Amino acid sequence: MDFKALIWQYGQGKRDFSRLDLQRIELIREMLIEIDFSRTSLEWANLSGTNLTGADLNRADLIYARLLSAKLIDADLTGANLQNADLSWVDLENATLA
């Protein structure tokens, strides 16, 4: 799935994008509140400045992902692989990181 298709489907009300291969996707400064990226491959993705409040990132693969200044308020990152992810200035208020 590419950037335009994801944004269009999200705009149509779809929230479940779990178990997809979204490696290297560019979702910069998007509003993706309560999106489900559980078990999704987001390796090398650029999510900088994106609002992911309430997102489900349970067991997501975020290796080398760029999340600079992203909002992960109330997000579920349980079991997410954040190896070498750039989390500079990320808002993790009430996020689950277990």
Side-chain angles (χ1 to χ4, degrees):
M1 175 174 295
D2 67 6
F3 160 79
K4 289 180 182 180
L6 187 144
I7 296 302
W8 185 85
Q9 288 180 25
Y10 183 88
Q12 298 299 308
K14 180 176 179 176
R15 296 296 179 264
D16 186 355
F17 296 91
S18 60
R19 301 176 188 261
L20 295 178
D21 182 353
L22 299 176
Q23 293 181 46
R24 300 187 185 278
I25 196 163
E26 298 274 333
L27 295 168
I28 301 167
R29 292 184 302 276
E30 295 295 333
M31 183 78 66
L32 301 174
I33 294 172
E34 296 185 357
I35 196 164
D36 183 353
F37 278 148
S38 60
R39 299 178 186 238
T40 296
S41 177
L42 292 160
E43 288 183 47
W44 296 95
N46 190 347
L47 303 166
S48 296
T50 297
N51 188 338
L52 294 162
T53 297
D56 185 351
L57 292 156
N58 186 333
R59 298 178 69 186
D61 188 357
L62 292 155
I63 296 173
Y64 289 103
R66 297 188 71 205
L67 294 149
L68 286 83
S69 299
K71 289 184 181 177
L72 291 166
I73 299 165
D74 296 319
D76 182 2
L77 291 134
T78 304
N81 188 342
L82 297 166
Q83 182 179 348
N84 295 311
D86 189 344
L87 301 171
S88 301
W89 305 288
V90 171
D91 187 345
L92 293 165
E93 182 179 339
N94 295 321
T96 304
L97 298 166

